[in-house]
Amino acid sequence: MVRIKKNRKIGATSKEAMARAVRLTIEENHSLRQAGEICGIKFQTLARYVKKARNDPGGNIIMEPNYANRQVFSEDDEIMLAEYIITCSKMAYGLTTEGVKKLAYQFAAANNRKVPDSWKANKTAGSEWLRSFRKRRGNLSIRQPEQCSLSRLTSLNEFNVKQFYVNLKSILEKTDKLKDASRIFNLDETSTTTVQRPRKVVAQKGAKQISHCTSGERGVLVTTCVAVSASGNHISPTMIFPRKKFKRRMRCGAPPGTLGMANPSGWMTAELFVEVLKHFIKHSGSSKENPSVLIYDNHETHISIDIVNTA
């Protein structure tokens, strides 16, 4: 459900305008309605400030509302709460909007803060508080997180990252030829669907169903494997089609030199990756006299005795 943004009228009157309206009422004997119409203030609101001024003549009357006394948390509390939310998101355990509202209520209850009755009834903060909280902090936004497996999260730590660069440095220092950026490659795979997702179109309002013509309602995945050098050049890609046998016509429209293979699932296997390595060696001109570095992840299809021997 789309939230309709309403223009807030609270606090729209400046303290200068309020002070002028009070002077018109007290010193120049204007009525509340007359002074309110001149200064653009509702007479009910003006009446409260006129009463304060008459009860305390000569006193320092604040001619604007004090919203700080209605805030649940202090500035330091909100900074602490925002830092905790950001820390959770960096640890890949970010809080949803509902989670943040529940955390705010629990934080207020633990510190004996005065909260609205709706918070106590629902055991959670309100949506309006969350909107104002994000606006006050300025460094919080609602984002769509990417999926990340636990194994990747646990492997990506400071020790492993440092060890990777130590190993990479030791390899690059073996020969001066590896100092050339064109001899350092990074290889990765991606899946491409044969059915593209339709974009939004303009159609009749109120129509229950809008269709868009594609090559098929359910597509199949084609695995594409590409190696790119640090200098920006790339080796002709490898494409694995979801078929038992590869046909040359499947490469129509592909980049020149593309290696085409087939697998019933359309995924990479250890046997097919040996052919990918041979394809890389052929097009990169790699040899013992002219070595190159190929960096890729440790997926199970990339690790086997045949792959090591081929490399």
Side-chain angles (χ1 to χ4, degrees):
M1 181 177 179
V2 179
R3 182 179 183 272
I4 301 176
K5 186 176 181 180
K6 298 181 180 179
N7 295 327
R8 296 173 62 87
K9 299 181 180 179
I10 300 177
T13 304
S14 64
K15 59 182 179 181
E16 292 79 9
M18 184 63 71
R20 181 192 174 196
V22 171
R23 286 196 303 269
L24 289 174
T25 305
I26 297 177
E27 299 177 3
E28 302 182 16
N29 296 325
H30 284 72
S31 66
L32 292 175
R33 292 182 182 272
Q34 290 175 344
E37 290 178 359
I38 294 173
C39 299
I41 303 173
K42 290 186 177 182
F43 74 93
Q44 298 95 330
T45 304
L46 178 59
R48 297 199 304 269
Y49 289 89
V50 171
K51 183 179 180 181
K52 290 180 181 179
R54 286 175 175 170
N55 293 336
D56 187 13
N60 186 16
I61 307 299
I62 300 176
M63 295 297 176
E64 58 183 350
N66 181 18
Y67 295 111
N69 60 354
R70 299 183 61 187
Q71 289 188 8
V72 177
F73 303 109
S74 64
E75 182 71 14
D76 294 336
D77 290 340
E78 289 198 347
I79 292 175
M80 186 186 305
L81 190 61
E83 290 178 349
Y84 179 81
I85 294 172
I86 293 174
T87 302
C88 289
S89 65
K90 290 181 178 179
M91 296 174 62
Y93 287 96
L95 300 175
T96 63
T97 54
E98 295 298 325
V100 172
K101 290 189 290 186
K102 290 181 179 179
L103 175 65
Y105 170 74
Q106 295 170 1
F107 186 51
N111 291 275
N112 297 321
R113 296 289 190 268
K114 184 179 179 180
V115 298
D117 294 335
S118 60
W119 287 32
K120 297 179 181 179
N122 300 324
K123 303 298 182 181
T124 180
S127 299
E128 189 66 20
W129 173 87
L130 178 60
R131 186 194 66 81
S132 302
F133 173 65
R134 289 174 49 212
K135 185 177 181 180
R136 287 192 297 271
R137 298 273 54 88
N139 60 345
L140 298 175
S141 63
I142 300 176
R143 305 284 299 275
Q144 177 64 42
E146 297 181 2
Q147 296 180 350
C148 188
S149 64
L150 181 61
S151 59
R152 174 170 293 186
L153 287 173
T154 54
S155 299
L156 187 62
N157 53 58
E158 183 178 0
F159 174 80
N160 289 341
V161 172
K162 285 184 177 179
Q163 190 64 38
F164 167 79
Y165 283 106
V166 169
N167 295 336
L168 180 62
K169 182 180 179 181
S170 64
I171 293 174
L172 297 180
E173 291 177 347
K174 284 185 176 181
T175 174
D176 293 338
K177 292 185 177 181
L178 294 180
K179 295 180 180 179
D180 185 1
S182 62
R183 306 307 303 166
I184 304 174
F185 293 84
N186 184 27
L187 180 144
D188 203 358
E189 304 163 7
T190 184
S191 59
T192 306
T193 178
T194 57
V195 177
Q196 304 305 319
R197 180 179 298 178
R199 299 176 64 183
K200 292 183 179 180
V201 298
V202 181
Q204 181 183 2
K205 186 176 182 180
K208 294 184 178 180
Q209 184 175 354
I210 302 296
S211 302
H212 189 88
C213 182
T214 63
S215 59
E217 294 181 357
R218 285 191 176 183
V220 293
L221 296 180
V222 176
T223 298
T224 305
C225 184
V226 183
V228 182
S229 70
S231 62
N233 298 323
H234 66 88
I235 302 298
S236 300
T238 300
M239 302 185 71
I240 303 175
F241 297 89
R243 296 288 187 273
K244 287 188 177 181
K245 294 184 179 180
F246 171 74
K247 303 293 183 181
R248 296 182 61 182
R249 58 179 173 80
M250 297 179 184
R251 291 187 305 183
C252 291
T258 298
L259 174 63
M261 295 184 291
N263 184 35
S265 65
W267 298 343
M268 180 68 72
T269 63
E271 292 76 15
L272 295 179
F273 194 73
V274 174
E275 301 300 323
V276 173
L277 273 183
K278 293 179 180 179
H279 176 74
F280 168 79
I281 294 171
K282 174 183 175 182
H283 288 273
S284 64
S286 300
S287 63
K288 291 183 178 180
E289 294 75 21
N290 187 31
S292 59
V293 177
L294 181 61
I295 304 172
Y296 54 83
D297 57 35
N298 60 344
H299 192 267
E300 59 180 4
T301 60
H302 299 164
I303 303 173
S304 70
I305 296 298
D306 294 335
I307 294 173
V308 174
N309 291 333
T310 303

